[in-house]
Amino acid sequence: MRIGMIGLGRMGAYMLRRLIEGGHECVAYDRSSAAVQAASAVGAVGAASAEELVAKLTPPRALWIMVPAVAVDAVIAKLRPLLAKGDVLIDGGNSHYSDDIRRAEELRPAGIRYLDVGTSGGVLGFEQGYCLMVGGDKEVFDTLEPIFATLSPGGRMPAAGARRVADDTAPMGYLHCGASGAGHFVKMVHNGIEYGVMAAYAEGLSVLQHADAGLRARETDAETAPLAHPRLFQYRLDIAAIAEVWRHGSIISSRLLDLTAKALAADPMLAGFGGRAADCGEGRWTVQAAIEMGVPAHVLSAALYARFESRGSGEFADKVLSAMRLGFGGHVERS
C-alpha cells in the first residue's frame, strides 16, 4: 500500500522504515528537512511540504500523523483543505480519546475518515514490532489492515482463507478496539498500567538497595525512630544481578525489567540519572477517567503522584510538615 507519514521523530521514523521494509510505499514529510532526507535515504519519497505530500498520494489517500498530541489539530487544519472524500487520517500519537471523537465528527460531513491508533513499542518497535490499538470505523480498519499488520510484531496479515473472528488479530499485535476514541482510550489505560508497573519495580528495587540499613550508623535521639532489629537488615545486595536473575524464569519478568537490568548493568548506582520522571498525560487521563466512572485505581493514582513527587512538586508540602512539627512539638529537622 501507499501511505503518507507526517512526523519523523523517534517513533515516526522507525515506523516508516518498518513499513518500507515490509514492502509499502511511503511518502514522508517533517518540518525538519534533515529528517525528510534521512527518510528518503531508506527508500521513502520525500516531500518538502504537506501540500507536496498530499499531491504525491493517489486518492483515496491514507495519511498517518505521528506528532505530539498538542500539534495534531494544527496538522489536521493544514491538511483539511487538501483532502477529499474517501481520504483517511490516522493519528498514531497519544491524543486524548475525547479529541478523537470530536475530530471524527468534524471530518465526517466531508467524507474524510479518521482512525485513532494507540501505538506502543517505542524505539524498539522497528525490530520487534508495534502493539496497535485502533479506534474508528471497522470498514476503514479493514481497508488499512495491511499497514497495521506490517507494523505489528506479527509482521504479516493473518493467513489467507483462515476463519476470521472479531479478535483474531490480537495475537498478531494489533486490534480494532471499537468506535472513534476507543484506540486511544485503550492506549491511555495501557500507559496508566505502565506507570504502575514501573513504580512497582522502582520501589521494590529501592527496598533491596536499602537492605543494608542495619550496617549503617544511625543517630539515636528523640527525633529519629530507631531500627528495631538491625541484625535483620545486614545485606549488601547486588541489585544489578538481582534484576538480571529476575529476567530468567521469574513471574515478574517483562520488557520493562529487561530495560531496567540493562541500565543497572551499565551503571549500578544509576549515577547518570537525576530521578525526575515526566508524565506525558496518559497517566493523568487514566486516573481522571477512573474518577469519572467511579472505578477504584489505587496503584495507578499512587504511581502518578510518585512522578509528581520525583519532580519536586511535593517539596512545599514537606516544608509544611516540618513547620507544623516544629510548631507543636519543637521537632527540629534531621537529614
Side-chain angles (χ1 to χ4, degrees):
M1 297 186 71
R2 192 172 180 88
I3 188 169
M5 179 69 76
I6 300 175
L8 304 172
R10 287 174 298 178
M11 291 279 283
Y14 283 120
M15 293 170 68
L16 180 90
R17 288 179 59 189
R18 188 170 175 89
L19 287 170
I20 290 171
E21 293 193 4
H24 299 280
E25 297 179 4
C26 298
V27 183
Y29 168 65
D30 189 276
R31 291 185 302 176
S32 166
S33 58
V36 175
Q37 290 174 3
S40 298
V42 297
V45 176
S49 66
E51 292 81 2
E52 184 178 343
L53 178 138
V54 172
K56 288 183 175 181
L57 294 170
T58 303
R61 310 170 186 89
L63 296 89
W64 192 301
I65 302 170
M66 205 67 191
V67 302
V70 296
V72 175
D73 280 329
V75 172
I76 291 178
K78 191 169 186 177
L79 291 172
R80 175 64 188 84
L82 309 173
L83 302 178
K85 182 178 180 179
D87 290 343
V88 181
L89 288 176
I90 305 162
D91 177 13
N94 282 323
S95 290
H96 193 280
Y97 70 95
S98 64
D99 289 327
D100 298 314
I101 296 172
R102 170 180 56 80
R103 291 168 188 153
E105 291 174 347
E106 291 173 350
L107 293 168
R108 189 173 293 115
I112 299 171
R113 281 85 63 85
Y114 176 89
L115 295 180
D116 51 283
V117 181
T119 307
S120 179
V123 296
L124 302 176
F126 170 61
E127 294 182 353
Q128 300 179 13
Y130 300 88
C131 175
L132 303 173
M133 297 143 270
V134 186
D137 291 341
K138 181 62 162 57
E139 178 186 355
V140 183
F141 167 85
D142 291 339
T143 301
L144 296 179
E145 188 175 355
I147 296 293
F148 305 133
T150 300
L151 288 171
S152 73
R156 56 182 173 79
M157 289 278 287
R163 187 176 71 86
R164 303 294 298 274
V165 295
D167 61 351
D168 67 342
T169 65
M172 304 284 288
Y174 65 100
L175 179 70
H176 180 256
C177 298
S180 293
H184 278 149
F185 188 91
V186 174
K187 177 58 162 48
M188 174 187 76
V189 177
H190 164 285
N191 283 23
I193 293 170
E194 180 182 297
Y195 281 28
V197 174
M198 292 173 73
Y201 281 130
E203 291 181 8
L205 291 172
S206 182
V207 171
L208 294 176
Q209 178 69 20
H210 290 84
D212 63 349
L215 298 173
R216 297 188 224 135
R218 299 168 66 92
E219 292 189 41
T220 303
D221 56 46
E223 298 300 321
T224 307
L227 185 63
H229 303 288
R231 67 184 185 85
L232 300 181
F233 304 99
Q234 299 190 4
Y235 302 110
R236 287 195 171 99
L237 302 174
D238 186 335
I239 306 304
I242 291 169
E244 179 62 28
V245 77
W246 283 351
R247 295 180 57 230
H248 304 280
S250 167
I251 197 67
I252 63 168
S253 60
S254 71
R255 290 176 68 181
L256 286 172
L257 182 60
D258 293 344
L259 297 172
T260 303
K262 182 178 179 180
L264 287 167
D267 182 1
M269 295 304 295
L270 301 179
F273 296 89
R276 296 174 62 86
D279 70 290
C280 300
E282 296 85 357
R284 298 187 191 204
W285 300 340
T286 302
V287 173
Q288 289 167 353
I291 292 171
E292 289 293 322
M293 296 184 294
V295 177
H298 307 289
V299 172
L300 308 191
S301 300
L304 174 64
Y305 291 136
R307 294 203 177 194
F308 296 164
E309 182 77 27
S310 77
R311 303 196 297 272
S313 298
E315 182 178 358
F316 186 75
D318 293 337
K319 291 181 178 180
V320 172
L321 288 174
S322 291
M324 288 189 288
R325 294 187 76 249
L326 178 63
F328 71 71
H331 303 287
V332 179
E333 288 183 345
R334 297 289 182 179
S335 60

